[in-house]
Amino acid sequence: MRGVLTAVGLAALALPGPAQAFIGYGITMYDPSCAFGCYDGVSGYMLECSVMDHGPVGAHSHGAGGPTSPECRAGDTYFLTTLAYCMKTNCDASTPMWKLEKFWSEQATGDKTVPAKWSYGEALAQLKKPPTDEYGEDDHHLTRTVLVDAEIVKDNALTREHFEYAEMIHSRYGLILLIVGFGTPIVISMFTRLPYMSSLSDKLKPYIVYPSLIGTYHVRPLPFLLGNAATIGQSLYVIMFAALNIAMAAAGYKSIQPNTWFGNQWQEVMGYFSARTGVLAFALTPLVILLSGRNNILLWATNWSHSTFMVLHRWVARIYAAQVIVHSIAELVLYIDMGSYEAEFKTEYWAWGIVATVFACAMLVFSSLFFRRWSYELFLIGHIIMAVFVIVGSWYHVEFLFSRKWGYEFWLYAACAVWFFDRVIRVFRILKNGPRRAVVTEVADDIVRVDVKGIRWTAAPGLHTYAYFPALSPWRPWENHPFSILPTALLQSKRDASLSGAASGSDTPSNADVEKSGAVASTSRPERDDQALGGAPGTGITLYVRKSKGLTKLLANHNSLLTLLDGPYPDNPTDGVLKSDRLLLIAGGVGITGVLPYIARHTNVKVCWSVRAAAEGLVRDLEGPLSRVAEKDVRIGSRLDVAALLEEEQRTGWNRVGVVVCGPGGLCDDTRALVTAKARTGPAVWELEVDAFSW
């Protein structure tokens, strides 16, 4: 649970300035409150150096600004002696002298950078006798040391104390949101790994982990591109976290009346509420960014999949946007009611708040599935640019308003730290892998094989990499796409496969368990020179890419294509399916690359694969690894009957059956629904992993 919180802490320690934590957790706002109460009572007095022609005072001024400047107060004898005498008579003996001196040095003039001409002790020494009267309506200027009404001082002090208490609660609830949002996946993962929890986990998975919340939709989009339905488990996290946000925004308010800052209780509570929602939005910012990252430490600390964290990223981002919108509306309604809207609207902090709010709303709209599918590359660039405007707008919003006094900016520093950490690790991964030259071979009309030699990654299943092909699109060198990883050593040439099949007596896909229809035109293939490409024979990785719109449509036969690799990254946890008695691998089209690595990690495997007739070349290219699988069902031009496949495995009587599916959304969702039904009825235990990218 230390990742995001450590980012907050490091930011606080590394950056200079008075704010080193959050309000209530290292920062005190108005201590001693009696001194601030005196300042509020005296700061409104007109002095001989006060200027009547002054600008409007905003709702956030709280005694600052107005006709009297800090320089004026710093040199006015009667202002300083009145303030000093008020502090002496209203702050009891329990208030340490150093706190009074500290307040005086930082707050006596209303500006820390403008010191008073006397210290607190020197100002008291100027008093020859105690004052006897108060500042009255007939006084045009402060021309003597006066008494300050003790009740006014008390009301001012209580107002500030309750405001600081409210701010402390804001910080506490923000930290709670961050810790719960970050820690829940870790706690649940730890729970599933406890001794004797495996049987309970097996019973819960068919009801929580596997099924979709809405019918059989999950990888497939909902009708009218409304989005992707979450699973039951993902939905429970979202519901829990949304409910927690509502509770944190609605609870913990205390009112103090009369209040010298707010005209009535409604204004007071609305002021606290608007500030609360703003802080909660700030607290969610690092979590939103963390959940979307490739180098998400939750991926390393839990057994949750990357696609799950992407689902949570989208929903937590929507909750974040809701907090931002509610904050902005609450502030607007409050200032209209207080009559200060005209003054606030002209301020810089308000303008930057509008910038952050508008771009947060824009991200909410343009992150919909319609725009992601229309052009993912444009969506991604626009998404990052808009996120920058949200962060920058938020930073200037609090910078112009508070000048980094109260620690609000550290939420944003933490968010930036999370983002830069992810990007830096990506760069390190690319540099570690180094620039590579790949052989690109067209194996079917819309499928190419990309061989990258010299890469020595573990041959574990469930991994993917992000591949850059900067030479294909020099104007967009940052474009990259995720692909499942196949160790090149797992593949064999057709000649090697034939020799292996003859020696072992096993059939190849061309003469056993294969249904064919149609034909595929042969393609010319570049010769692969392992030594020239920087690798020994059999080293490296192979990617199979189905051409689509965007960068991948430019892939064609090539002997030496510049390739950068960011990876490897885990897709899904594989422990559960690999511990099963039987492993059923179901693939559709190029999804075979997501399941083939499992054949080297399990002794009892069956491969079931269906491809379009136009992709027969892909089947021929994978004859080598498929020839080593004793049980397979490869169908060209026809679909798999997943229900029949699962029924057959159930009749066989295995105690634990693992199913891995990778392919089109319909195949993945149908398999999910069928496995869920089987797992609920038993008697076998079913393990399911759906290998599908969700963006």
Side-chain angles (χ1 to χ4, degrees), residues 188 191-192 196-211 231-234 236 656 676 679-680 685-687:
I188 293 176
F191 177 80
T192 61
Y196 309 108
M197 286 296 144
S198 57
S199 58
L200 177 60
S201 178
D202 291 339
K203 294 178 181 178
L204 292 177
K205 284 179 181 179
Y207 296 93
I208 296 178
V209 179
Y210 300 157
T231 64
I232 297 293
Q234 293 165 354
L236 289 176
R656 183 178 290 269
T676 299
R680 289 179 177 179
V685 175
W686 294 78
E687 290 280 352

Side-chain angles (χ1 to χ4, degrees), residues 459-480:
L463 299 176
H464 68 274
T465 186
Y466 296 85
Y468 298 74
F469 305 108
L472 293 181
S473 183
W475 295 106
R476 297 174 296 176
W478 58 81
E479 277 196 29
N480 60 95

